[in-house]
Amino acid sequence: FFFFFFFLMIRRPPRSTLSSSSAASDVYKRQVLPHPEECGGPEEFAKSVFELNEQDGAVSRERFVALAHLLFDLARSEGSGPDNDVKHMVRDFAGPFGDSEKIMEAAKEIVDKVSAEVVPFVAGEVFEWMDRDSSKGICKDEIDMAITACMSGPEAAFGMVFSAVDKDGNGSLSTEEMSDYFTNLIKMAGKCAHVVVNVFASTFKDDIADGVSGELFRELDANGDDFLDKEETHMMKDGLEMLKQQLAMADQMGPPADMIMGVLQREIKACKEAGDVCPDKFFALFEKLFYQNLATIKETASNPEMVPIPYEKIQPFVESAEEALKSGFAPNIRPITDAYFAILDANSDGIVQNSELMALMGIFDQDTSPEDSFNGMFAMVDSAGNGKISKDEGIAFIKKLFDFGVGCAKGGIDLYQVLIAAVAKTFIKFFLDGLADGEELTKEKFDEIAVAFAENGPEVLLAPMLE
């Protein structure tokens, strides 16, 4: 993955550079790379690349990163380049509330940040792989090896991946090498995801809050007084009554529903007993429930009636996930609980009264009537406490929901990285135990698996788990 973009550009430059008369093509040839089609083969191309970029007999990291930036900029110059792809993604996220000009600006900012933060990271990984002797830079032989492999077809590409993962160069892949490589991929994906979330949040928060609030008032403000009263929002109460009826029948739905209802009742009881809470106490409550729910999930995973796979098969994965979630909880979840606290703290006094705490949990409590649940939810938005919701209160509440969504996205990205890295390491060890008899993965075995994967698909990798 690290090498895909860079070497794809070497093998097939952007269409805009294929015209020898274009300005981009001139820059491409004069400054960093000859045109591949104008070279007689991999060796001549590698020689030209090296001569155009070397200084004191090697291509430096700085020069290599600059080369990656230029390749990325050339890709952006195409109409179907990354800017266009990101623009479509942002438009899908923003929905009907995204202004076209802001969508364009946000897409450009996202790609600019990827260029500034992600491209150097990828280029650095490629540089370290190519600089096999860890010298002052990439020498001519190392350029020759990389470009010849790149331009020699799929088998050579598999070989490039193997040598990139084989950090110690001993001709085999260990669990640590494979998991470190995978973790770096996850880090890069997380970096890109954070860029998208941050730019989207800063660009569209006000537009979405105004747009959603405007739609709600147009639909619900029957008397046109620019306020929503309880009568105008009565359909929410009807929905709560239906939900209560469905929850009352949950005990007839079987074991999974019983487990979920048991978790809900435990959380409702804990919230009722919590009293009034400050942000720190609210986080502590959330943490306590989180650990209890983890224990419930682990217990469920070991129950053959719930999970048909023998527990000893999945136990290493369950335990790895449990430890990762515990270690990653506090640093990644606190922003989420703070944003949730702000939603519940309608009067913004820094204390969530128990009645406020139960505003949402009461929805699932059979002892709380639909009327009380409705009043609690209405009070979350009616910050003035005067029995009606103004447009400003509506916008402020939607912004709180938006902040909560952003917090969940960012915390989820970070916690996912911790979780997937831990589980991946366990899976890789399991994979090596099944396909390499617990030994390191040799180049010969790697090539064998790669060919089988190409011919038969991912079942080749899943087979050990199914035995």
Side-chain angles (χ1 to χ4, degrees), residues 69 113-124 188-189 191-192 195:
H69 275 300
K113 286 182 178 291
V114 169
S115 177
E117 300 175 18
V118 179
V119 170
F121 174 76
V122 176
M188 185 178 67
K191 188 182 287 286
C192 291
V195 166

Side-chain angles (χ1 to χ4, degrees), residues 155-184:
E155 292 184 6
F158 281 123
M160 285 173 16
V161 172
F162 184 92
S163 61
V165 180
D166 183 20
K167 288 289 188 181
D168 60 11
N170 69 345
S172 61
L173 306 182
S174 66
T175 299
E176 288 71 23
E177 286 174 328
M178 296 174 72
S179 60
D180 286 349
Y181 185 78
F182 185 79
T183 299
N184 280 338

